[in-house]
Amino acid sequence: QNETHFPLSYFLVLPARLNWNESILPAPPAKSDSSHHQQRLTAVKKDEMGAPEKICTAMELADHEARANGCSGSDEIPSSSCTVDPQLTVADASPRVIGLCKDLFKKWSELDESCFTVERVSGGITNLLLKVSVKEVNGEESAVTVRLYGPNTDYVINRERELQAIKYLSAAGFGAKLLGVFGNGMVQSFINARTLTPADMRVPKLAAEIAKELRRFHAVEIPGSKEPQLWNEIFKFYESASGLQFDDAEKQRTYNTISFKEVYGEIIEIKELTSRLNSPVVFAHNDLLSGNLMVNDDEEKLYLIDFEYGSYSYRGFDIGNHFNEYAGYDCDYSLYPSKEEQDLFFRHYLQPDKPDEVSSKELEVLYIESNTFMLASHLFWALWALIQAKMSPIDFDYLGYFFLRYNEYRSKKEANCSLARSYLSGLHKS
């Protein structure tokens, strides 16, 4: 990662030919080994998995809030056809950004440009984040965040799904409020908080708060299909990643050392194994690294932000993926949380108000679930990195990142899969 330590999730660009609205299941490579396939067991009842009860839908909250303010809950978010080139310097982009804000928000339409200040916020590269401060007529100052989508990011991120989710998640109290949308981005409320570091995530007090917030996040219902998207997306990544050609000869030689027949077999094996765990399907964040967590230390308020990868998925994947991010930007997987650290997280996730009352059985279930799905997380981001190695203009060793993630997957696979199979075998016998 770069010196500024931006989340890797900001950098993904995929080929234009990939239709992300289709569910793609590639045919297995020739002579693929089918020995990994096993019959499914109804191993764990979902009501034993500690799934969070659903709270009232966020749109209901939004409608309630809107009615309380004397307007219709169906009022549309302000929109503008304006676009802003994310590759411009802040100085060059400022006039366009100011014009955009004046176009979106009528109360600012008559203000002089001198009333606006535009500055870059620590955040993404392909998704440029700008803070716009405004001195209003009454002398008070307000601020918003303008987020510019990077070129071609629509090929990996379903912006329609993201915008819909933001409305519901915002109404439920998550992230910044959506204030407006425009040609290649959105305007959101400004969050006065600092971004967490990887080391912050393992501080017990913060880890407990993250667990509580993630449980609340998983309880929000987003309208539309509840079909989990994890394996659809992994297979799409596989299809694109397994047929790349590099102009750089050295990159091509390195790429050619990858056995995609082996990778495909690993995907099938982990998909089958995780399916037997009956992990609850929730609306998941799917990218809960430190860069997507903020805290206001004075108010002791934690924020989950950036829902670009949000989709219905498995609870175990969201938690296991988060645990992988303890490794930080240097990918030091010796920092993966210990059993004790995980138990603290699980207790506050399962019983936020009474963490000490979580049973050992509940802890075991979530431990098995998370530490099996963490393998799927490695496969997901490993394949993601291969596509980036071909498509991204960012100066980063994405091929090297593939091997970091895939080798970590292989180093943990035997122990974690054995633990899961032993657990499932015990359930079957009982």
Side-chain angles (χ1 to χ4, degrees):
Q1 323 254 17
N2 299 335
E3 289 181 357
T4 42
H5 289 171
F6 298 120
L8 278 168
S9 61
Y10 284 110
F11 305 153
L12 182 55
V13 180
L14 285 182
R17 293 181 182 178
L18 202 55
N19 184 346
W20 286 85
N21 293 319
E22 294 179 2
S23 175
I24 301 173
L25 182 65
K31 301 180 181 178
S32 64
D33 184 1
S34 61
S35 63
H36 297 312
H37 292 259
Q38 301 176 17
Q39 293 185 347
R40 293 178 178 230
L41 297 175
T42 307
V44 184
K45 293 181 180 178
K46 293 209 173 180
D47 60 358
E48 296 174 346
M49 298 295 287
E53 294 180 4
K54 296 299 179 184
I55 62 176
C56 60
T57 69
M59 189 53 76
E60 290 171 347
L61 293 175
D63 287 343
H64 175 77
E65 182 179 33
R67 285 193 296 270
N69 292 328
C71 61
S72 169
S74 62
D75 284 354
E76 294 184 359
I77 298 295
S79 63
S80 170
S81 60
C82 293
T83 60
V84 181
D85 185 350
Q87 296 178 329
L88 293 175
T89 65
V90 173
D92 290 338
S94 290
R96 188 74 174 172
V97 171
I98 293 170
L100 166 69
C101 289
K102 294 172 74 171
D103 185 46
L104 279 172
F105 308 114
K106 300 309 178 187
K107 66 177 181 176
W108 295 343
S109 62
E110 301 301 321
L111 292 178
D112 188 81
E113 287 196 9
S114 62
C115 297
F116 296 81
T117 303
V118 181
E119 59 188 300
R120 181 173 178 142
V121 177
S122 176
I125 291 178
T126 57
N127 279 332
L128 181 61
L129 301 177
L130 300 172
K131 177 184 177 182
V132 180
S133 302
V134 186
K135 188 172 183 179
E136 305 199 40
V137 176
N138 58 9
E140 293 185 0
E141 291 194 2
S142 57
V144 296
T145 300
V146 175
R147 179 172 152 208
L148 307 178
Y149 303 148
N152 301 322
T153 52
D154 286 354
Y155 296 127
V156 66
I157 296 165
N158 184 326
R159 296 297 183 187
E160 183 178 353
R161 183 176 72 186
E162 180 193 8
L163 286 170
Q164 181 190 39
I166 285 175
K167 293 177 184 178
Y168 285 79
L169 292 167
S170 173
F174 291 100
K177 291 184 178 180
L178 181 63
L179 304 177
V181 295
F182 56 97
N184 65 325
M186 65 177 71
V187 181
Q188 295 175 281
S189 60
F190 180 76
I191 297 177
N192 184 24
R194 67 174 178 88
T195 303
L196 264 59
T197 66
D200 286 328
M201 296 195 303
R202 67 186 327 116
V203 174
K205 184 175 181 179
L206 281 171
E209 287 304 309
I210 294 169
K212 292 175 185 178
E213 281 298 284
L214 188 59
R215 179 185 175 89
R216 282 208 318 118
F217 189 94
H218 287 170
V220 178
E221 290 196 54
I222 307 297
S225 172
K226 305 295 191 290
E227 183 71 21
Q229 296 301 306
L230 173 63
W231 295 107
N232 287 341
E233 293 178 359
I234 287 180
F235 281 122
K236 290 170 184 176
F237 277 27
Y238 173 86
E239 181 178 88
S240 186
S242 59
L244 300 174
Q245 292 291 326
F246 292 89
D247 296 330
D248 184 289
E250 183 59 34
K251 283 187 176 181
Q252 189 65 47
R253 280 193 292 271
T254 302
Y255 174 81
N256 288 342
T257 66
I258 301 168
S259 168
F260 283 98
K261 175 182 177 182
E262 175 188 296
V263 172
Y264 185 90
E266 300 297 333
I267 294 171
I268 294 298
E269 181 176 0
I270 301 304
K271 180 179 185 293
E272 189 279 333
L273 181 59
T274 55
S275 72
R276 298 167 61 196
L277 297 174
N278 289 341
S279 181
V281 174
V282 297
F283 190 83
H285 187 287
N286 295 323
D287 192 25
L288 202 59
L289 73 171
S290 62
N292 287 337
L293 290 160
M294 301 183 76
V295 64
N296 183 309
D297 293 307
D298 293 334
E299 299 176 3
E300 297 187 339
K301 180 169 177 56
L302 182 78
Y303 297 89
L304 275 62
I305 65 169
D306 289 357
F307 313 127
E308 292 178 312
Y309 289 91
S311 69
Y312 273 95
S313 189
Y314 303 97
R315 176 184 70 174
F317 178 83
D318 221 9
I319 297 175
N321 184 72
H322 174 64
F323 287 164
N324 279 337
E325 296 298 342
Y326 275 50
Y329 303 109
D330 296 325
C331 298
D332 181 359
Y333 290 107
S334 68
L335 297 176
Y336 190 82
S338 65
K339 179 69 162 59
E340 292 72 23
E341 288 173 316
Q342 291 187 49
D343 280 352
L344 180 143
F345 188 97
F346 297 150
R347 287 183 182 280
H348 287 87
Y349 178 91
L350 292 169
Q351 292 281 358
D353 298 325
K354 300 178 180 178
D356 293 334
E357 295 186 9
V358 175
S359 69
S360 58
K361 175 64 175 177
E362 290 175 302
L363 292 176
E364 180 188 23
V365 167
L366 199 45
Y367 181 80
I368 297 295
E369 190 181 317
S370 301
N371 287 277
T372 310
F373 271 101
M374 66 85 85
L375 298 171
S377 164
H378 283 308
L379 292 174
F380 181 98
W381 295 111
L383 291 168
W384 171 91
L386 287 180
I387 301 164
Q388 283 295 77
K390 171 66 178 177
M391 303 301 298
S392 176
I394 304 301
D395 182 17
F396 180 80
D397 183 13
Y398 288 106
L399 273 177
Y401 188 70
F402 164 83
F403 287 105
L404 274 173
R405 297 302 297 250
Y406 192 61
N407 288 340
E408 181 63 16
Y409 161 83
R410 292 199 293 191
S411 74
K412 294 294 191 294
K413 177 195 169 186
E414 182 176 356
N416 289 22
C417 287
S418 295
L419 191 64
R421 291 190 176 106
S422 175
Y423 168 77
L424 289 166
S425 177
L427 287 176
H428 183 58
K429 290 176 182 177
S430 63

